[in-house]
Amino acid sequence: MVRSALGDRERANALPEQTARFDLLIANADIVSPGEPIRRGHGLGVREGEIVAVAPMAEFDGASAAERLDARGGLCAPGFVNVHNHTPLIGVRGMVEDLGFAPAYTKGVPQGHWLGEEETYALARLGLYELMRQGSTSVVDFYARPAALARAMAESGLRGWVGGRIMDVDTAALADGRFERDAALGETTFADNVELIEAWDGAGDGRIACVWGPHAPDTCSPELMRQIGDRAAADGRLVHTHLAQSPMEIERLRAVYGRSPAEYFDAAGLLNARMTAAHCICLSDADIRRLGAARINVAHVPVGNATGGQWAPVEALAAAGCNIALATDSKSADMLEAMRTAIAVARLRAGGRFVFDAATAFGWGLDGGGAALGMTGRLGRIAPGYAADIVVFAADAPNLRPVIDGVGILVHSGNGSNVRDVIVAGEIVLADGQPTRFSADDVLRDAEAVAQALWRRARAAA
Ligand SMILES: [Zn+2]
């Protein structure tokens, strides 16, 4: 019976005695959620994909549940909201990080346009499996052949925002350092995104939403940007992109269009609170003010940025009014690593000033992501009314001891491989480290075969 709950919000959502039946009851949980002190020995009642009750275990006496998960001894947190990924890029992981720049601009490595539908699908499955294993329950994924990404997303059981990779600058020419418009590429990639939306928006029991995915300022012509801006304004869809990723992008835009990346997006009508822009590295003070005034969402990618020798001015962006969200960008999928890297890099850049703390970074990876996806009040916390997207960490992980406040130990010492169970929309999609909807062995085997073939081709072409 759920007699009462802890706070006003819980009380408002408390269940009458006769309805204390749940689809899923997570028992004996030590709950760590942004904005709340650790709650020990709690029960968590889920119905129709939503958290409907959070209360001390004693209050669940007599409650019935179709399914029960015992979380005793392990921390229980909201699933991470990972707002920027390109799962097919898993195929070049471990091989490009020491080369200097993004694969699309680098010769001698496999290129995205080599990937067919099935190859994209195989790599996406691996990427999503890894994201799930490391505790991400909401994932933004966008790349070429987005229908394959959506298919993999729907099968995984994750909550996904999927987009295309719209661009009309020839990537083969880019690899040679030339900057040439390819109108046919623009038409094809735009059409792919349109078809994606028509076929996949709302699929996967409503877990999949589709977004517009203009690739970057230096790979989309003003005409194409304006086309995307008009469509996004008309349908109100989210827009995911890259912004101010490199000095090369800034120089090229300045030389060709006389604008900064922020000015360029603004001119296309894309700079607003529905936009999530990854990286946001090379920014002037005026750009930061412009992005803040537009209330854009920054997909902060601290590990990828730092690996490339770069950093984003997150403190200034947040102060200017941007919402900060966090992403692993198909490097490792470890959001806890991303959180502590964000803190460490920010403190280095601030000359030793202790900017940001574990609670701030934890919030970026949870309700900051929820806000970026237009899901404030639905994603990123464990409370009634929120989606039942929940992660249980292993009780026997020595790196997760001692548990005093819960947040500090997770952010400063935890890692994604400590994740034991993952629940999305009330469904257990990872049970004791094993996916419930697909064969992990098949996913590993198929993705490995695709990647090996891509590298054979790249070496033959080099
Ligand atoms: Zn990216």
Side-chain angles (χ1 to χ4, degrees), residues 84-86 89 142 215 241-242 245 278-279 301 329-330:
H84 187 88
N85 289 279
H86 317 285
L89 287 180
F142 68 112
H215 175 252
T241 191
H242 303 89
Q245 208 174 168
H279 302 295
V301 185
D329 199 7
S330 313

Side-chain angles (χ1 to χ4, degrees), residues 32-34 36 38 75 358-360 362 404-412:
V32 181
S33 179
E36 310 242 18
I38 186 167
L75 288 171
T360 305
F362 195 57
I404 310 300
D405 75 355
V407 174
I409 196 75
L410 271 179
V411 173
H412 288 298

Side-chain angles (χ1 to χ4, degrees), residues 41 56 80 90 92 144 182-183 230 233 309 330 358 409 460:
F80 298 123
I90 290 276
V92 297
D182 177 347
D230 289 349
S330 313
I409 196 75

Side-chain angles (χ1 to χ4, degrees), residues 22-107:
F22 304 106
D23 298 335
L24 172 68
L25 174 60
I26 302 175
N28 306 304
D30 291 344
I31 299 172
V32 181
S33 179
E36 310 242 18
I38 186 167
R39 289 167 285 179
R40 297 179 193 269
H42 272 49
L44 226 158
V46 172
R47 193 181 309 126
E48 291 177 1
E50 195 173 280
I51 298 169
V52 293
V54 183
M57 254 341 271
E59 304 203 13
F60 285 84
D61 285 352
S64 65
E67 201 168 12
R68 234 180 133 90
L69 180 70
D70 194 347
R72 190 184 298 275
L75 288 171
C76 185
F80 298 123
V81 183
N82 197 329
V83 297
H84 187 88
N85 289 279
H86 317 285
T87 49
L89 287 180
I90 290 276
V92 297
R93 182 170 61 180
M95 297 298 291
V96 299
E97 291 84 346
D98 302 330
L99 296 180
F101 200 51
Y105 304 77
T106 308
K107 281 188 86 161

Side-chain angles (χ1 to χ4, degrees), residues 354-369:
F354 266 47
V355 290
F356 305 131
D357 59 9
T360 305
F362 195 57
W364 290 342
L366 294 167
D367 44 14

